[in-house]
Amino acid sequence: MSIIKFDNVSEKYRIKFVRENKISWEEIWALEGASFEIKEGEVFGIIGQNGAGKTTLLKLIAGMIIPDSGAISVAGKVATLMELGAGFNAEFTGRENIMVNARIYGLKEDVFSRTVEEIIAFADLGKFIDAPIKYYSQGMYMRLAFALAIFINPDILLIDDILAVGDTEAQHKCIKRVMELKESGKTVVVVSHDMDMICRLCDRALLLEKGKVMMQGEPEKVIATYLEASGDKRGIAVMERSGLRVIFNNGKLSISYNGIALTNKQAGYMAFLMPSNTWNFSSNLYWEAKKLPENKVLAEGKSGDGSVSQSWAIALEDDYLCIEAAIKGNFKEPHVDLMFSGQYDNWKTLHEDGVFPSFMHRTNWQDIGMTPSLGRTLALTGSAEASGLPGLVFEVADRDSKTKLLNTGMEFGCHVVQLCLNSTNSISFRMAVFPERKKLEEYLEMKRSQQEQGFGIVA
Amino acid sequence: MVKERLHKLYLSRRVLWDMTVRQLRANYAGSVLGLWWAVVTPLLLAVSINFIFTVVFKVTMRNYYLFVLAGIIPWTFFINALNEATNSFAVNRSILKQGVFPREIVPVSCVLSYLLNFFIGFVFLLPLFAFANLKAAAFIPALFVLALLEFIFIAGLSMLFASLNVLWPDLRCMLPVLFMVWFWITPVFYSQEMLAFPLRWITIFNPVTHYIVAYQKILFEAKMLSFSNLLGLAFLSFLSIAGGGAFFIANEAQLLKRI
């Protein structure tokens, strides 16, 4: 049963522009023809760039504003966790604000004073509960708003990116509570820029772009669509061929196969050590990606001061992908990190194989210690074939570049193929896709016999 | 739609009451005299007007100060409530953003708090009128009805003014002048009979006049209001609440965006 329903809802704002003492009014559509439904008991994520209309959408659900056209039905009591100012009067004390809001939310008379005491106890603000909230820190304000939102026992809780402002403990408390609400069948709508959080918490997600609903569905897919489109448009190129989809987005390379993301959200990138001994990444450069005929992309990136430049040439064939990457300038230890989904837990070279160990640390990376000399042909396979995850074979053309396998920390949960650049600061490799395990084994067998006969690697 | 809104208003009566009480307290927060100001203000006004018109301009009405007092109390109720309510959307911005309650409560609670204020003042000033003319005390029930009608009248205007204040910022600059002119064209310190006819139309077209005159009739002349009198006032009050309410509802969506 849907608890929130938007039917072709539009909301526009008239905005005053003052330029060189000339005043002009423009109409801006904050939301345009939005239609969607949220089911009871769902945790629903809303993502999109700043100014996409996310907060407007939440405000419409909360009834804080009224749509200019379209119909909204919301069946239940709504509580909101929004930025400072919404629903709280800065001049009133914490206690007064709680009283006013508890009343507005229609708390029953017989439990009113007890509930107010409970909220105050949960917020745990000490003597600050009797100080005007303009003197509160962001964290204190959040605790108060959160306590209120929980104890008025809403059917629907709206959370507007507020999770980002608290410290780790406050965030954790929030997430824990969202989980509890979900378990008790409450509906939660979350707006967040933290894609990991959306991915972990939400059952479904919705992508907004310039006030329009671009996509809704499984969080993973919606997030992937969002990430490929966000960023400077000049640095984005998308290629697709027989199920294989490659997106180069301002120095990040993501790969998917038949809609399944092979790379994690961190994608693939080139890392290099700056003279100041800090790591920098290709995603920090300014990119221009040119699409060439026959599924080829040439991307050039420069750092802001021009001290480092990179070029990537990517070619997509039916079942493999060729990448040549080079870097110039002032840096050390350049390498390419390809961050693959944690489901790829088996690796194989021509003569060895093994399993990625389980993640050891929370954030630290861990070298799984594969013999580097054998790294020029490398296969990755998932343990569960049924998931549709294809096997991957990497072949590095350069003889003097090393390959490493690493685990990221638990938080990213990726298995990393790290390809070090050769002595001329370039690398050329290909990645072939094998949907069938048997084909992959046959291919490796062929490579093995070629190597024994003394052939080189065909890249 | 009207029925639905009224029902919601009824459900939120506790919010209305809480906001009213808080407003009443806020008006005198920190002052030493506190609620006594409700008594002192009209007295000071009456004394000063009495001085100007009996000493300086030599008005020769018997018990002139009582006449002025009878008009000035409902007038201060009107003007203070309307003034406060006009700013109420801006002041209570944060609560309006909460969304789950009928927003007309905000200006109406302002007016209600001044109604209480008005009653408090009256409790102490009534003996003055009764002392001059004992009969006036007999009409207390009529006074209540009159105050209620005036409250409805102001509540309607308050919704109009509060909405206009958000939608049309010039209103804020215009209000002081508007209120002053409004005071001069309301027969508070003069009686309508003092005006010759073409001029008298101005006061007749001013709706506040009819409420003030009714108060003067009860308190100063100690006469009962006629039924047609009451009916006319009820009609004015209805017109105000219906018009103000309709204006507010029609502009509510726009209003919320501008706050």
Side-chain angles (χ1 to χ4, degrees):
Chain A
M1 201 199 99
S2 63
I3 190 163
I4 298 170
K5 191 173 175 196
F6 271 52
D7 188 13
N8 205 14
V9 172
S10 296
E11 175 81 2
K12 64 169 183 264
Y13 284 91
R14 270 189 82 211
I15 296 178
K16 183 166 131 180
F17 291 90
V18 185
R19 196 181 294 130
E20 291 164 4
N21 289 328
K22 267 196 212 158
I23 295 173
S24 60
W25 290 87
E26 254 176 66
E27 281 187 353
I28 305 280
W29 290 89
L31 212 58
E32 216 176 330
S35 298
F36 62 90
E37 283 178 39
I38 299 175
K39 290 191 209 67
E40 198 175 343
E42 247 183 344
V43 178
F44 194 82
I46 296 169
I47 57 175
Q49 282 169 321
N50 287 334
K54 304 184 294 292
T55 302
T56 302
L57 201 148
L58 281 197
K59 284 182 175 170
L60 283 167
I61 296 176
M64 292 179 195
I65 47 176
I66 298 166
D68 287 313
S69 69
I72 298 175
S73 76
V74 176
K77 184 153 74 171
V78 182
T80 54
L81 270 179
M82 292 207 186
E83 88 281 19
L84 188 68
F88 285 86
N89 190 331
E91 300 295 330
F92 294 169
T93 68
R95 190 187 300 272
E96 284 169 344
N97 267 298
I98 291 295
M99 306 270 274
V100 172
N101 276 289
R103 200 68 96 187
I104 287 173
Y105 276 122
L107 219 58
K108 291 260 162 33
E109 215 47 51
D110 48 334
V111 294
F112 185 82
S113 44
R114 200 184 37 160
T115 311
V116 167
E117 285 313 311
E118 275 174 349
I119 293 170
I120 288 167
F122 188 86
D124 194 21
L125 293 170
K127 62 184 176 193
F128 273 90
I129 194 69
D130 292 312
I133 63 169
K134 64 180 173 186
Y135 297 117
Y136 282 23
S137 74
Q138 186 92 43
M140 289 160 79
Y141 164 73
M142 191 180 130
R143 288 222 296 273
L144 189 70
F146 191 62
L148 174 75
I150 292 168
F151 278 94
I152 59 153
N153 196 23
D155 303 308
I156 302 165
L157 179 64
L158 309 179
I159 305 175
D160 186 8
D161 226 1
I162 197 170
L163 298 176
V165 300
D167 54 21
T168 322
E169 192 208 325
Q171 267 188 31
H172 186 71
K173 210 168 155 187
C174 254
I175 292 170
K176 213 166 77 185
R177 188 59 208 182
V178 170
M179 288 307 205
E180 282 169 27
L181 282 173
K182 187 182 173 182
E183 287 310 309
S184 61
K186 300 293 165 72
T187 310
V188 183
V189 183
V190 192
V191 163
S192 182
H193 288 287
D194 183 343
M195 296 301 142
D196 278 330
M197 176 112 64
I198 294 279
C199 216
R200 256 181 305 162
L201 288 178
C202 298
D203 302 311
R204 279 195 313 136
L206 177 143
L207 172 61
L208 278 178
E209 203 181 299
K210 290 186 182 136
K212 292 195 181 108
V213 176
M214 298 306 285
M215 189 184 180
Q216 47 181 318
E218 285 171 44
E220 290 83 3
K221 287 186 183 164
V222 176
I223 289 169
T225 311
Y226 169 60
L227 290 178
E228 44 180 81
S230 67
D232 189 347
K233 294 282 177 283
R234 278 175 302 177
I236 301 180
V238 182
M239 288 179 286
E240 196 161 8
R241 189 155 169 181
S242 27
L244 198 58
R245 185 175 159 89
V246 179
I247 298 129
F248 182 85
N249 185 344
N250 291 293
K252 277 190 170 186
L253 189 76
S254 17
I255 306 165
S256 62
Y257 186 73
N258 287 338
I260 303 162
L262 307 186
T263 46
N264 183 286
K265 162 189 131 186
Q266 315 298 328
Y269 54 85
M270 194 191 291
F272 49 94
L273 198 58
M274 308 272 283
S276 59
N277 246 354
T278 48
W279 285 101
N280 202 348
F281 306 96
S282 52
S283 52
N284 292 338
L285 305 183
Y286 296 89
W287 286 91
E288 202 153 326
K290 261 184 292 188
K291 213 165 168 188
L292 305 175
E294 291 168 20
N295 270 326
K296 280 189 184 127
V297 164
L298 183 67
E300 312 246 357
K302 272 200 186 85
S303 61
D305 59 357
S307 67
V308 175
S309 68
Q310 285 187 14
S311 73
W312 289 54
I314 308 158
L316 181 63
E317 299 292 337
D318 264 339
D319 50 5
Y320 65 92
L321 176 71
C322 283
I323 294 172
E324 279 174 53
I327 179 166
K328 279 189 206 127
N330 192 8
F331 55 84
K332 281 181 286 189
E333 296 180 49
H335 60 262
V336 171
D337 281 330
L338 299 169
M339 316 280 272
F340 285 99
S341 137
Q343 287 177 295
Y344 279 112
D345 40 18
N346 294 295
W347 59 268
K348 198 176 256 182
T349 64
L350 295 186
H351 304 288
E352 274 181 290
D353 56 45
V355 179
F356 282 90
S358 49
F359 298 104
M360 300 274 285
H361 307 281
R362 199 169 154 77
T363 53
N364 290 355
W365 290 29
Q366 172 200 2
D367 190 335
I368 72 162
M370 192 193 67
T371 327
S373 59
L374 296 173
R376 281 193 287 133
T377 300
L378 170 75
L380 286 189
T381 51
S383 52
E385 235 181 310
S387 66
L389 211 61
L392 305 175
V393 174
F394 300 88
E395 286 163 289
V396 183
D398 310 273
R399 283 174 186 279
D400 62 345
S401 62
K402 287 182 195 163
T403 306
K404 271 191 201 170
L405 291 178
L406 302 106
N407 265 351
T408 62
M410 244 172 278
E411 283 193 326
F412 288 167
C414 306
H415 295 134
V416 187
V417 176
Q418 192 172 78
L419 308 165
C420 297
L421 269 61
N422 65 19
S423 49
T424 60
N425 287 326
S426 67
I427 191 163
S428 165
F429 66 95
R430 62 177 241 176
M431 189 193 95
V433 178
F434 291 89
E436 289 169 59
R437 184 66 59 86
K438 218 177 84 199
K439 291 267 171 60
L440 186 140
E441 298 294 344
E442 282 170 12
Y443 184 77
L444 289 182
E445 190 53 45
M446 186 192 80
K447 283 282 159 188
R448 219 169 277 143
S449 60
Q450 272 179 359
Q451 199 190 39
E452 276 155 19
Q453 288 158 24
F455 287 116
I457 287 163
V458 188
Chain B
M1 169 133 156
V2 172
K3 205 174 153 194
E4 196 186 320
R5 282 195 95 100
L6 285 175
H7 181 64
K8 274 199 186 143
L9 202 60
Y10 173 73
L11 290 178
S12 306
R13 59 196 184 280
R14 282 303 306 236
V15 185
L16 177 65
W17 182 245
D18 278 4
M19 287 187 70
T20 303
V21 171
R22 220 184 44 229
Q23 176 76 44
L24 193 64
R25 270 202 216 121
N27 287 342
Y28 301 109
S31 70
V32 180
L33 285 182
L35 277 175
W36 283 99
W37 279 112
V39 185
V40 174
T41 315
L43 271 179
L44 279 177
L45 271 172
V47 167
S48 60
I49 290 176
N50 189 47
F51 170 77
I52 301 271
F53 289 94
T54 56
V55 179
V56 181
F57 289 111
K58 316 274 187 223
V59 173
T60 54
M61 192 193 281
R62 205 174 145 257
N63 280 342
Y64 178 68
Y65 75 99
L66 271 187
F67 173 78
V68 173
L69 204 57
I72 206 100
I73 303 170
W75 171 262
T76 46
F77 167 35
F78 168 75
I79 211 69
N80 286 342
L82 192 56
N83 194 25
E84 190 81 32
T86 302
N87 286 319
S88 63
F89 280 148
V91 170
N92 291 289
R93 170 176 299 145
S94 62
I95 295 167
L96 285 173
K97 286 186 181 168
Q98 200 57 283
V100 280
F101 77 116
R103 298 175 185 91
E104 53 271 27
I105 280 183
V106 171
V108 171
S109 71
C110 262
V111 181
L112 194 56
S113 80
Y114 278 95
L115 178 68
L116 297 181
N117 199 46
F118 168 79
F119 281 142
I120 293 163
F122 243 120
V123 169
F124 292 95
L125 294 172
L126 205 59
L128 272 178
F129 295 105
F131 185 71
N133 195 338
L134 202 60
K135 261 173 76 188
F139 300 128
I140 292 176
L143 266 181
F144 269 101
V145 175
L146 186 54
L148 194 69
L149 288 177
E150 194 192 359
F151 163 72
I152 293 170
F153 173 74
I154 305 171
L157 275 187
S158 78
M159 283 192 272
L160 175 73
F161 273 57
S163 309
L164 273 178
N165 190 37
V166 177
L167 299 174
W168 188 48
D170 296 47
L171 184 72
R172 208 170 325 140
C173 308
M174 216 184 88
L175 271 187
V177 182
L178 178 78
F179 283 171
M180 188 183 272
V181 173
W182 210 335
F183 179 61
W184 298 132
I185 61 171
T186 308
V188 173
F189 56 92
Y190 55 90
S191 91
Q192 252 184 318
E193 286 76 38
M194 294 180 186
L195 283 179
F197 233 103
L199 280 175
R200 202 152 148 189
W201 282 114
I202 301 175
T203 60
I204 291 174
F205 275 114
N206 170 14
V208 188
T209 300
H210 305 287
Y211 295 91
I212 301 293
V213 166
Y215 279 102
Q216 289 165 343
K217 197 167 176 187
I218 293 178
L219 289 170
F220 184 66
E221 298 170 30
K223 283 185 192 144
M224 184 56 194
L225 296 174
S226 70
F227 184 69
S228 61
N229 240 338
L230 273 175
L231 208 65
L233 289 177
F235 177 70
L236 270 182
S237 296
F238 173 76
L239 217 62
S240 162
I241 196 93
F247 185 84
F248 168 71
I249 291 171
N251 289 287
E252 195 179 7
Q254 196 55 36
L255 214 102
L256 289 173
K257 276 189 246 184
R258 296 278 199 90
I259 282 171

